[in-house]
């Protein structure tokens, strides 16, 4: 496997120390041979680790370092991941209006690069901005668009995030029993792939859990979450949610 594949797999498994060690070594190697792509990937990975640890300031700084390398290289394709992280930091910091603009810029870049799967991922993130801004109808439209693409194209690695979106939307609509089901569905979907959520999605799931437990009580929440873990993601949305 390539460094990119290795480090991303380690991150998804939650192996933070391994990501840091691999990325630090890769920065040294890449700088020595003028490999901008390797350096960007490594700095991007360190940014994700910082964000997962809750240090948004450091995460943003590392993402900007990666973006600087990408811009100097003249290869616009290398800008995609750092720009994604900068948008995610803005969203996690609560600056949703800025994050919305950054995600729209990221979508435009991915469309120009001919990357439909990444366009879809950023559409999912844009939907969360709309949700946070109280634009439920637009958030629902974007989540539905993203989910439809995922199932149509068989983008299996994104299925857990479809479930995260379902949980967040149900919570925003005040349907806490369904939100709890969707949390269970998301947990099972991540486990099926041997992954853990990205930092921003983990924060979204935590917020949904807290709201559902408060609304339903711990026992009812646990029961609903357990039921959700046995649902099929491809049919769990058939009721129109």
């Amino acid at each position: 496997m390539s460094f990119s594949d290795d480090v991303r797999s380690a991150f998804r498994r939650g192996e933070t120390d391994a990501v840091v060690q691999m990325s630090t070594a890769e920065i040294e190697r890449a700088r020595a041979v003028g490999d901008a792509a390797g350096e960007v990937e490594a700095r991007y990975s360190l940014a994700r680790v910082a964000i997962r640890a809750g240090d948004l300031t450091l995460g943003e700084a590392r993402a900007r370092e990666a973006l600087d390398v990408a811009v100097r290289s003249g290869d616009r394709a290398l800008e995609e991941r750092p720009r994604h992280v900068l948008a995610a930091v803005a969203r996690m910091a609560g600056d949703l209006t800025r994050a919305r603009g950054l995600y729209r810029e990221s979508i435009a870049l991915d469309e120009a690069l001919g990357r439909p799967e990444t366009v879809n991922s950023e559409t999912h993130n844009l939907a969360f901005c709309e949700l946070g801004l109280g634009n439920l109808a637009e958030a629902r439209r974007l989540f539905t668009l993203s989910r439809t693409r995922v199932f149509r194209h068989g983008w299996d690695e994104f299925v857990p995030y479809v479930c995260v979106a379902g949980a967040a939307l149900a919570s925003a609509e005040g349907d806490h029993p369904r939100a709890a089901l969707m949390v269970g569905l998301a947990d099972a979907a991540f486990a099926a792939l041997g992954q853990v959520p990205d930092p921003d999605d983990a924060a979204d799931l935590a917020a949904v859990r807290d709201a559902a437990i408060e609304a339903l009580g711990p026992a009812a929440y646990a029961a609903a979450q357990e039921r959700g873990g046995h649902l099929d993601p491809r049919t769990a949305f058939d009721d129109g949610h």
Side-chain angles (χ1 to χ4, degrees):
M1 295 175 66
S2 67
F3 166 75
S4 176
D5 290 337
D6 284 343
V7 77
R8 293 190 189 196
S9 294
F11 183 83
R12 287 169 180 162
R13 292 191 300 267
E15 298 171 359
T16 299
D17 290 343
V19 172
V20 171
Q21 292 172 5
M22 294 165 62
S23 298
T24 302
E26 177 64 8
I27 289 172
E28 293 181 4
R29 184 206 67 79
R31 294 185 68 182
V33 299
D35 179 3
E39 185 176 354
V40 169
E41 183 71 25
R43 292 188 183 281
Y44 155 71
S45 297
L46 291 177
R48 297 178 84 194
V49 166
I51 295 168
R52 178 172 280 172
D55 192 337
L56 297 182
T57 300
L58 180 58
E60 181 175 11
R62 286 177 166 172
R64 291 197 179 281
E65 290 170 355
L67 182 59
D68 287 344
V69 175
V71 171
R72 287 197 302 270
S73 77
D75 184 352
R76 291 219 68 201
L78 297 183
E79 298 179 23
E80 183 263 322
R81 290 289 82 190
R83 291 191 182 281
H84 161 76
V85 170
L86 291 173
V89 167
R91 177 159 77 93
M92 294 183 73
D95 191 349
L96 298 180
T97 299
R98 178 168 176 267
R100 178 170 59 182
L102 291 173
Y103 279 125
R104 286 173 174 168
E105 291 175 5
S106 184
I107 289 170
L109 173 61
D110 289 319
E111 288 175 339
L113 294 171
R115 296 179 172 178
E117 191 168 354
T118 311
V119 168
N120 194 64
S121 175
E122 296 295 67
T123 299
H124 163 92
N125 291 319
L126 176 60
F128 267 104
C129 292
E130 298 291 358
L131 189 67
L133 290 166
N135 303 324
L136 294 186
E138 179 63 4
R140 189 181 303 109
R141 184 187 72 81
L142 292 170
F143 280 141
T144 300
L145 175 62
S146 176
R147 181 175 71 245
T148 299
R149 290 170 175 167
V150 167
F151 292 146
R152 177 187 300 147
H153 295 291
W155 292 333
D156 291 342
E157 287 202 351
F158 205 78
V159 169
Y161 298 95
V162 165
C163 303
V164 173
L169 184 59
S171 183
E173 293 174 336
D175 189 348
H176 296 292
R178 180 169 179 80
L181 283 171
M182 288 287 139
V183 171
L185 185 66
D187 288 344
F190 278 115
L193 294 178
Q195 296 181 7
V196 296
D198 284 348
D200 48 352
D201 295 285
D204 292 323
L205 275 178
V208 171
R209 285 192 183 98
D210 290 346
I213 290 172
E214 182 176 356
L216 304 174
Y221 168 80
Q225 181 182 8
E226 172 67 19
R227 289 196 302 275
H230 299 288
L231 297 176
D232 180 351
R234 287 165 179 76
T235 59
F237 296 89
D238 287 349
D239 58 4
H241 285 77

